[in-house]
Structure formats: structure tokens, C-alpha cells
Amino acid sequence: MEVCLTPDLIHQHRLEGKLVVVVDIFRATSCIVTGLAGSHIQAIRPVSTVEECLSYGQKGYIMAGERGGIQVDGFDMGNSPLEYARLGKNSAIDTSQKVAITTTNGSTAILKSLAAREIIIGAFLNLRAVADYIIVQSRQHPLRKDDSTTGGGVLIHCAGWEGRPNLEDTLFAGALIDACAGTQGLEACGDSALLARELYRAQTSHHLQNACVNPDLRPVALESDHGKRLVRLGHADDVHFCMERDKYDIVPKLNGEGEIAVAPTG
Ligand code: MLT
């Protein structure tokens, strides 16, 4: 398993033939997982610009997203997973519509992965489901010989922040590598993958020594740049929610129409 720490480094990875897991813990991929898991939304279309999102709004899509962590003026929704979790309950938004989403980093990471064989969406909220999906896929698409120089069949693409790596996505990459450990063909490959895995293991070794199955990563996440930014913007509850593990048992996947929907399992 390879890790790309920021979309600005994606040109250094070969995408063709790979299964790419896109991750933007704070908060785009946590929103996508929550939206598709619990709110009756059938599909979410990632787009790169505010203008593109507005044009999908005219076609009946719910317009969602942020710039700098703040909801875009005129959009129906911002980029809070808790907002997605409330959809369909007391919300005035019609969840039979699809969502068009544009965010500072997360939607870019998805759109920069389009050359991959398959793109799925990861977050701590669906970590186990993603790990299980990858393990099954790795049996169906075993490594070809020529993959050995490029790191194998799975690439975790971290959204980072404006071209820089970030703590929370790197931690997730390490957690996913750790969750797949022991499966042939899913070893950590390259220094970015080792860095992510060792970061995760360093953060969790204390918990594991105390036999805690789900280590609490919230304290370290609150130290991250975007964790602090979200707290400043009044979204501390989002930070806590995004660090919850295995809340949802779904794997969102980009389809041929450019929309993300729940991947069939089994
Ligand atoms: C992003 O794409 O950068 C984010 O999801 C930002 C955020 O809303 O927290």
C-alpha cells in the first residue's frame, strides 16, 4: 500500500490500475460517508469550483461545500458531517436530491485520482469497512509483476491542506495500513506509507498496551492545524465526530457518471 501525503505529490504516483482510497478526515470524506450512510442521499458529485457547484444547483442538486472551512454563500449546506447526519430528520432539505460538493482540498483529491481503476472514500467513520473492502479487492486483483516497482495495487490519497500534508489524513493512512496488516500484497510500501504507519502506531501503542481496542485519537487530532482551525470556527463537535471509528459500515465509491454512491458489498 502506497500513501500520497498531499494532492500536490500525486504526479509521483502511478494511478492506472490502482484502487485509490481518498481521505479528507476534516471534513470532506467524513461528510460523504455520513451523507451516504444515514440520510437517504443516493449520490454525491464532487466538483472543483463554486461556479460548477452553482450550475449543478440549477439542475436540482443540493449545493454543499466550503472555502477555508466556511460554508459558501448561497449554498444549501456547508461541510459539516453533523449537518449531513441531521439531513432527513428536521432538515428543510429534500434528501431525494443528489448533492454536488466542492471543498478546499477533499474534492480536489478525488478529482486528481480519476486515472485510477477504482476510487473509494475513506474516513475513520468507515475505516473497518474500507479495510475489509480492500482485502477482498486485493484477492480479486492480485499484484501484477510490474506493480512491484510502483508500490502495489492500493494508494491512499490524502487531501492534506492546500498542498501540505496534514496530521489527521496521515494518521488515517497509518490506521488503514495497520488494519490491513498481515494480508499478502497489502504491505506498507515506500517511506510515506511507513511514516503514516509508524505515526499511527506511536499514537496508539499506549492504548493497545492497556488493551483498548479503539484508541482515542481526538487529543492528537485537536493539536492539528485544521483541528485547531475548526475549533476556532466553532466546529469542535465536528472534530470529535470525524475521529469516531467504525460508526458506519459502508464504502462510498465513485461511479462512471462521476458520482459517489455506496458500493455494493458481498
Ligand atoms: C477540505 O476539503 O479542505 C475540507 O473538507 C475543509 C473543511 O471543511 O473542513
Side-chain angles (χ1 to χ4, degrees):
M1 296 172 82
E2 286 174 89
V3 174
C4 177
L5 293 172
T6 143
D8 278 19
L9 296 177
I10 197 66
H11 61 279
Q12 297 183 354
H13 298 265
R14 201 179 72 176
L15 290 165
E16 289 76 12
K18 295 221 169 103
L19 166 60
V20 171
V21 183
V22 178
V23 52
D24 180 13
I25 295 299
F26 299 151
R27 298 167 287 171
T29 60
S30 298
C31 284
I32 292 170
V33 172
T34 307
L36 292 173
S39 65
H40 313 293
I41 287 176
Q42 282 167 17
I44 300 183
R45 176 180 287 277
V47 297
S48 36
T49 65
V50 167
E51 292 69 31
E52 221 182 323
C53 205
L54 288 167
S55 76
Y56 274 103
Q58 284 169 1
K59 293 178 198 157
Y61 283 67
I62 299 163
M63 297 174 289
E66 55 66 48
R67 286 295 178 267
I70 298 168
Q71 177 169 336
V72 177
D73 269 350
F75 276 21
D76 305 300
M77 294 175 65
N79 197 38
S80 161
L82 289 168
E83 212 180 344
Y84 281 85
R86 284 191 293 268
L87 279 178
K89 293 182 185 143
N90 302 320
S91 159
I93 294 175
D94 173 7
T95 52
S96 65
Q97 294 172 289
K98 294 175 179 178
V99 174
I101 185 173
T102 182
T103 72
T104 314
N105 308 283
S107 46
T108 307
I110 298 169
L111 296 167
K112 279 193 167 188
S113 305
L114 293 181
R117 185 190 82 236
E118 187 172 346
I119 299 171
I120 61 172
I121 302 299
F124 283 107
L125 295 167
N126 69 338
L127 174 63
R128 189 67 251 167
V130 169
D132 290 345
Y133 185 89
I134 291 173
I135 290 167
V136 170
Q137 287 287 311
S138 74
R139 292 192 190 119
Q140 286 167 5
H141 299 273
L143 285 187
R144 296 193 315 263
K145 269 200 183 127
D146 63 341
D147 284 332
S148 58
T149 51
T150 58
V154 178
L155 169 65
I156 306 168
H157 188 174
C158 301
W161 183 266
E162 296 182 342
R164 278 166 288 177
N166 71 21
L167 181 83
E168 62 278 10
D169 296 348
T170 310
L171 258 182
F172 170 84
L176 187 55
I177 291 169
D178 196 66
C180 295
T183 305
Q184 199 186 356
L186 294 179
E187 297 81 17
C189 182
D191 284 3
S192 300
L194 292 171
L195 199 85
R197 189 192 70 190
E198 293 312 306
L199 171 72
Y200 175 74
R201 288 188 178 167
Q203 285 300 324
T204 53
S205 58
H206 168 73
H207 300 276
L208 296 178
Q209 274 160 19
N210 293 315
C212 172
V213 186
N214 277 340
D216 184 4
L217 294 172
R218 283 174 300 178
V220 67
L222 282 163
E223 282 185 61
S224 69
D225 285 344
H226 198 39
K228 287 189 207 146
R229 187 180 297 111
L230 288 169
V231 170
R232 274 200 307 277
L233 292 170
H235 296 303
D237 47 356
D238 276 355
V239 175
H240 289 269
F241 185 79
C242 292
M243 297 310 289
E244 275 186 51
R245 199 169 158 143
D246 300 331
K247 189 174 175 65
Y248 301 119
D249 188 26
I250 61 151
V251 177
K253 175 179 165 169
L254 192 76
N255 64 27
E257 281 79 53
E259 293 183 341
I260 300 164
V262 176
T265 48

